[in-house]
Amino acid sequence: MKFKAIIFDLDGVICFTDEYHYRAWKALADRLNAPFDRTINNRLRGVSRMASLEIILETYTGPELSEEEKAALATEKNEMYRESLKEMSPADLSDEVRETLNALRAKGLKLAIGSSSKNAPFILKQIGLEGYFDAVSDGNNISRSKPDPEVFLKAAEFLGMDPADCLVVEDAVSGAEAGHAGGMKVACLGDAARHGAGDWNMNSFSELLTIVEE
Ligand code: BG6
Ligand code: MG
């Protein structure tokens, strides 16, 4: 086997909370009269909540905001976002992702999460994957968000693996850069795949089954 472990990003890879992020940021940006669209939204993928807010505020022209006001805006967005997460259930995990994960595990691979999100444990619980992964590294155990490799290096450490033995799976360009910065190969989906950011740029999640056998 080419790899011993796979580290998955969560939002946009395992499940599609990225649309909920977009809607919550859009509602906040509209309230602030800050132009925001899906092109700008692609820059938020993989980026921490506060760094995302700074990107939203690039088009904001209102009165200057204190750090306390910015923290309150990030909390407001997170509360809207978590309302959407409450609606999620195991039905939000596709058969393709569930079956591919089980098949990868059956090949002897260790499986981990490497997500910038502080909501990762809640999302995993909602979609029925609480306790499924061999390790979870997320926004709660890092101080630098993607494209810094910290979240993936921590995942490898939690697994007890050498980073070079781990494959990262990402939908964000910042996440693909983070994997490469950590000395890992990267398989991309979605936006990152469209940008050709990965060592493999996939159309569907199940392509991982052939990539690990190459
Ligand atoms: C990442 C998302 O998974 O988590 C980003 O791709 C998001 O868009 C980041 O900003 C932080 O998420 P949270 O849930 O901690 O606000
Ligand atoms: Mg993502």
Side-chain angles (χ1 to χ4, degrees):
M1 196 77 58
K2 204 176 181 111
F3 301 101
K4 292 183 181 162
I6 307 186
I7 306 172
F8 299 89
D9 173 50
L10 182 60
D11 294 330
V13 169
I14 299 290
C15 59
F16 294 92
T17 46
D18 48 343
E19 182 64 21
Y20 301 146
H21 277 297
Y22 171 73
R23 286 187 212 155
W25 283 125
K26 179 71 179 148
L28 184 75
D30 285 352
R31 191 172 77 60
L32 296 171
N33 287 320
F36 176 62
D37 59 20
R38 287 182 187 272
T39 306
I40 301 175
N41 186 59
N42 280 333
R43 291 173 54 209
L44 309 184
R45 293 178 191 278
V47 172
S48 73
R49 194 179 308 163
M50 290 310 290
S52 297
L53 178 66
E54 291 299 338
I55 294 172
I56 301 285
L57 293 176
E58 285 173 9
T59 60
Y60 168 75
T61 53
E64 199 178 326
L65 297 164
S66 66
E67 289 310 308
E68 289 73 24
E69 285 167 323
K70 286 183 185 177
L73 291 174
T75 299
E76 183 183 331
K77 178 268 172 178
N78 192 50
E79 281 167 4
M80 284 188 273
Y81 174 61
R82 282 184 68 99
E83 282 305 310
S84 308
L85 297 182
K86 284 183 194 162
E87 304 296 317
M88 292 186 89
S89 75
D92 287 291
L93 183 69
S94 72
D95 290 341
E96 182 190 5
V97 170
R98 185 187 302 102
E99 286 162 15
T100 303
L101 288 173
N102 287 338
L104 291 168
R105 173 162 280 160
K107 288 177 189 289
L109 288 153
K110 293 284 182 202
L111 308 179
I113 290 290
S115 166
S116 304
S117 175
K118 293 186 171 170
N119 291 299
F122 183 50
I123 296 167
L124 290 170
K125 184 163 179 252
Q126 291 299 91
I127 62 176
L129 288 181
E130 187 181 33
Y132 179 87
F133 289 93
D134 299 297
V136 175
S137 172
D138 63 32
N140 300 296
N141 63 256
I142 55 169
S143 53
R144 297 178 301 280
S145 88
K146 301 168 187 176
D148 190 285
E150 186 181 11
V151 74
F152 294 134
L153 293 176
K154 280 277 177 211
E157 185 189 318
F158 293 161
L159 290 171
M161 293 281 172
D162 188 331
D165 290 326
C166 301
L167 172 68
V168 162
V169 186
E170 262 293 347
D171 73 309
V173 173
S174 64
E177 289 170 356
H180 285 142
M184 303 170 191
K185 292 274 193 255
V186 182
C188 287
L189 283 163
D191 188 61
R194 284 190 286 279
H195 281 85
D199 300 287
W200 296 271
N201 295 293
M202 309 183 287
N203 289 310
S204 72
F205 193 88
S206 60
E207 287 173 43
L208 287 170
L209 292 168
T210 50
I211 290 171
V212 298
E213 294 286 1
E214 273 171 18

